[in-house]
């Protein structure tokens, strides 16, 4: 990206880092515990608070919807 985009992203990161609580709020833990294996969550992923809540609640997750058996130069094989 250009310099302005890099500055904006860096500023957002600093603000989020400063304002993210050290302790995971209970509302995040309750949310994490209420999820079922078929639920999908879409985030902008600017912070890691949700991942920390899932980890603390012992809820398994993956960052991408699919895993791949094989990754080739022009195609991928999805692992069902």
């Amino acid at each position: 990206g250009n310099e302005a985009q890099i500055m904006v992203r860096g500023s957002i990161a600093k603000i989020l880092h400063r304002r993210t609580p050290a302790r995971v709020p209970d509302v995040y833990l309750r949310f994490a515990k209420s999820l079922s294996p078929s639920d999908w969550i879409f985030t902008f992923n600017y912070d890691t608070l949700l991942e920390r809540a899932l980890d603390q609640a012992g809820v398994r997750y993956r960052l991408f919807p699919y895993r791949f058996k094989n990754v080739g130069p022009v195609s991928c094989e999805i692992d069902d």
Side-chain angles (χ1 to χ4, degrees):
N2 63 31
E3 187 176 341
Q5 288 175 329
I6 292 170
M7 290 175 61
V8 168
R9 286 180 18 204
S11 297
I12 290 170
K14 285 179 185 176
I15 292 167
L16 287 172
H17 181 70
R18 270 185 284 184
R19 295 193 178 214
T20 299
R23 184 179 152 277
V24 176
D26 289 337
V27 68
Y28 275 79
L29 293 173
R30 285 194 307 270
F31 174 73
K33 290 175 184 178
S34 74
L35 296 171
S36 68
S38 61
D39 288 338
W40 286 53
I41 300 172
F42 297 92
T43 74
F44 292 109
N45 205 32
Y46 285 117
D47 64 46
T48 59
L49 189 55
L50 179 57
E51 288 91 342
R52 287 175 39 212
L54 293 167
D55 289 338
Q56 190 171 330
V59 176
R60 295 178 61 195
Y61 63 93
R62 61 171 80 166
L63 298 176
F64 302 97
Y66 305 107
R67 296 181 193 264
F68 298 103
K69 285 184 190 177
N70 297 308
V71 177
V74 293
S75 66
C76 298
E77 182 182 0
I78 294 176
D79 184 9
D80 295 323

